[in-house]
């Protein structure tokens, strides 16, 4: 691989992220002539339920202050689905779907109810999981006009039922996990057929949640050092963060990365490259585990053999 490749995965978790973050990201991506992969929560914004849950957990206040969560998400979002009714994220903005597609971005599914998926997936039956995926898929098809070709699990939360259902949907790929390179998943000893493209870099909120970073320059330096390595990188950003309070910083980061010769690809193209030669893609165990700076468990690709770089 001659130059570093970066796929930008943009998760849209909330109504406000869709209304304000997505248009801002469309503007800066257009200015840099970069195409990215957007994953939108298709159903209701129940963020207030997540905020309520956080209030009941130790360390909440510290985390809120460090990450400026209320500033980032806004008070309306913090109450959505509890004191105030849940707003529909995807169905409220059909014009944004058209705009994203017209600009050459890829649009996939980020669950139906982000909060419910994140909290309950591990306890959902096969039927409940299929219902959740089915509802999201129907809204996508209704808004976009064709069936979704990719999805990304809310909160990187995975279950064997979910992976089995994804095998049956026949989408091109899924980006549900954290890891180092494309793979076919194994969970609880069962091998699945669909391709996983994992996020390879820590997220902004994880870095902000650690004690190592003391400002925007630190964060820029960190991402530059990691992404300048000639390899395949996938970053997950959030419409609610890099599209809002951190949008200027993210805009500048893209400029710095372009100056260093980083090439940008939509994740779909990365997936198609992998699927062109599936024998080079290994099966890897997917385990729910902890990552620094992140509360709760996420699906992590396990690498057993010595790491081989995947060439693109
Ligand atoms: Zn999300």
């Amino acid at each position: 691989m001659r130059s570093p490749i970066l796929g930008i995965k943009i998760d849209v978790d909330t109504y406000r992220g869709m209304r304000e973050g997505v248009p801002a990201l469309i503007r800066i991506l257009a200015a840099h002539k970069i195409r990215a992969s957007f994953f939108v929560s298709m159903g209701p914004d129940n963020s207030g339920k997540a905020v309520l849950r956080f209030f009941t957990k130790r360390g909440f206040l510290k985390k809120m202050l460090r990450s400026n969560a209320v500033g980032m998400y806004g008070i309306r979002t913090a109450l959505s689905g509890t004191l105030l009714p849940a707003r529909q994220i995807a169905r409220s903005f059909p014009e944004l779907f058209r705009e994203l597609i017209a600009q050459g971005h890829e649009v996939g599914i980020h669950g139906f109810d982000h909060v419910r998926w994140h909290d309950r997936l591990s306890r959902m039956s096969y039927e409940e999981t299929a219902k959740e995926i089915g509802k999201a898929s129907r809204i996508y098809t209704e808004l976009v006009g064709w069936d979704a070709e990719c999805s990304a699990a809310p909160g990187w939360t995975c279950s064997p039922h979910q992976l089995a259902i994804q095998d049956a949907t026949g989408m091109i790929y899924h980006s549900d996990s954290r890891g180092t390179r494309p793979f076919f998943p194994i969970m609880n000893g069962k091998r699945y057929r669909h391709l996983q493209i994992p996020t390879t870099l820590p997220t902004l909120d994880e870095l902000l949640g650690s004690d190592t970073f003391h400002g925007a320059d630190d964060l820029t330096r960190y991402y530059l050092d990691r992404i300048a390595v000639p390899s395949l990188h996938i970053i997950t950003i959030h419409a609610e963060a890099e599209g809002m309070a951190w949008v200027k910083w993210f805009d500048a980061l893209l400029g710095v990365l372009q100056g260093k010769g980083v090439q940008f690809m939509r994740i779909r193209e990365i997936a198609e490259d992998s699927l062109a030669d599936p024998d080079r893609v290994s099966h890897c165990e997917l385990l729910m585990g902890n990552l620094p700076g992140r509360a709760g468990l996420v699906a992590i690709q396990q690498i057993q053999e010595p790491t081989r770089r995947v060439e693109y």
Side-chain angles (χ1 to χ4, degrees), residues 100-157:
L100 285 169
I101 289 160
Q103 295 276 337
H105 299 298
E106 173 181 30
V107 186
I109 292 172
H110 192 43
F112 173 72
D113 181 335
H114 194 286
V115 174
R116 191 175 131 81
W117 181 284
H118 189 258
D119 287 356
R120 293 193 38 85
L121 185 76
S122 63
R123 299 191 299 277
M124 279 186 206
S125 66
Y126 183 93
E127 289 70 26
E128 284 174 297
T129 311
K131 214 171 137 189
E132 197 77 5
I133 293 172
K135 279 193 284 191
S137 301
R138 279 192 294 280
I139 295 173
Y140 183 97
T141 306
E142 168 197 315
L143 289 170
V144 175
W146 58 81
D147 292 345
E149 292 175 330
C150 55
S151 74
W156 299 280
T157 308

Side-chain angles (χ1 to χ4, degrees), residues 146-199:
W146 58 81
D147 292 345
E149 292 175 330
C150 55
S151 74
W156 299 280
T157 308
C158 289
S159 75
H161 292 324
Q162 170 220 354
L163 299 185
I165 293 160
Q166 290 183 174
D167 265 7
T169 60
M171 291 190 198
I172 296 172
Y173 76 94
H174 301 271
S175 186
D176 299 324
S177 52
R178 308 293 293 264
T180 51
R181 57 191 160 91
F183 67 103
F184 297 114
I186 304 173
M187 210 173 194
N188 292 353
K190 189 171 182 324
R191 294 160 84 90
Y192 298 92
R193 287 192 309 269
H194 67 263
L195 182 68
Q196 284 284 339
I197 309 284
T199 293

Side-chain angles (χ1 to χ4, degrees), residues 9-14 39 41 73 110 114 118 152-156 236-238 240:
K9 169 175 174 275
I10 301 169
D11 288 358
V12 185
D13 297 359
T14 65
F39 293 87
S41 285
Y73 286 89
H110 192 43
H114 194 286
H118 189 258
W156 299 280
T236 293
I237 69 163
H238 286 89
E240 294 78 10

